[in-house]
Amino acid sequence: PLPDDGYIPRIKATKNADMVVVYTLNRHQDELSIYAVNPRSTVSKLLLKEKADKYVKESVLDDIQITDNHILIPSDRDGYMQLYLYNINGNLLKKITTGKYDVTDVYGFDEQTGNVYYQAAGKNPMNREVYLTTRNGKTTCLTPQEGWNSAVFSTTMRYFIHQSSTMNTPYQFDICTSAGKKLLTLEDNSM
């Protein structure tokens, strides 16, 4: 179902051949609906609906994680961009992040462990760190150094390439475990 003035900003494939996920937005872009659609029968089921005071940010559309059994969605409904975990039927399970900071990128949700990996401006708005929040709610900063930190995780979520820089240091690239332990420096850009 799509409003007359609405549109479809994303269609995502899933592992299930009988399900694609379709995002719809109304014209004002303040109401996002996420549907599970069977491409063979064309039957659609509303999974969840997200409303925003002003508009749903473009980054939210890219950062939504849909796994076999869960949907992880960023939302600024409480004033900060935080992460919320739903089951695949659209029932809210819990709020993952609770700090007074914005989550700025979502790297993944490990269904096996329940771990969520993301980037946030946890220390202050000028820095970015990579964080892990476990199933029981414990949050760990995996990149405690100052500056801009980002990650590219392996498909198994066991390793990541850590990219870091500061105003005075060029980009450095390290391979780390999912617990944040540095294994190898790929490039330190030293002269």
Side-chain angles (χ1 to χ4, degrees):
L2 188 63
D4 289 340
D5 62 350
Y7 63 100
I8 299 172
R10 303 283 189 284
I11 298 175
K12 291 192 171 187
T14 67
K15 291 180 183 176
N16 181 351
D18 291 328
M19 183 174 106
V20 293
V21 176
V22 178
Y23 302 173
T24 66
L25 278 171
N26 62 346
R27 180 72 181 132
H28 296 291
Q29 299 181 5
D30 61 356
E31 189 173 293
L32 168 69
S33 298
I34 300 176
Y35 292 93
V37 179
N38 184 320
R40 295 176 188 170
S41 69
T42 69
V43 172
S44 65
K45 175 186 172 198
L46 179 66
L47 297 177
L48 65 92
K49 191 173 283 227
E50 175 72 18
K51 289 188 170 214
D53 290 338
K54 295 181 180 163
Y55 61 92
V56 176
K57 295 180 180 175
E58 178 76 18
S59 61
V60 168
L61 301 176
D62 292 330
D63 286 342
I64 294 171
Q65 304 282 312
I66 298 173
T67 64
D68 292 341
N69 301 307
H70 296 90
I71 302 169
L72 180 69
I73 184 169
S75 172
D76 59 0
R77 65 183 81 153
D78 72 350
Y80 293 96
M81 188 62 74
Q82 299 290 299
L83 297 176
Y84 296 83
L85 184 66
Y86 292 81
N87 66 19
I88 198 65
N89 295 319
N91 299 315
L92 179 64
L93 299 175
K94 64 181 172 178
K95 183 178 179 182
I96 300 291
T97 55
T98 57
K100 291 188 176 193
Y101 56 81
D102 285 318
V103 171
T104 52
D105 202 355
V106 180
Y107 298 125
F109 172 67
D110 185 340
E111 265 201 312
Q112 301 294 325
T113 63
N115 292 344
V116 179
Y117 300 92
Y118 55 95
Q119 180 192 61
K123 294 179 182 177
N124 62 57
M126 302 303 288
N127 289 309
R128 296 293 183 269
E129 302 86 27
V130 177
Y131 288 91
L132 153 69
T133 297
T134 62
R135 178 176 289 169
N136 65 8
K138 181 181 179 216
T139 298
T140 304
C141 179
L142 301 178
T143 57
Q145 57 270 37
E146 291 290 314
W148 198 275
N149 298 276
S150 62
V152 176
F153 276 83
S154 64
T155 55
T156 61
M157 306 303 288
R158 292 185 61 209
Y159 302 98
F160 67 94
I161 296 175
H162 172 214
Q163 179 180 331
S164 62
S165 68
T166 67
M167 189 168 60
N168 299 315
T169 13
Y171 285 108
Q172 179 170 325
F173 300 88
D174 301 308
I175 295 179
C176 302
T177 67
S178 61
K181 179 183 177 193
K182 183 166 91 169
L183 299 175
L184 174 71
T185 297
L186 296 173
E187 179 63 57
D188 63 6
N189 280 316
S190 62
M191 294 286 198

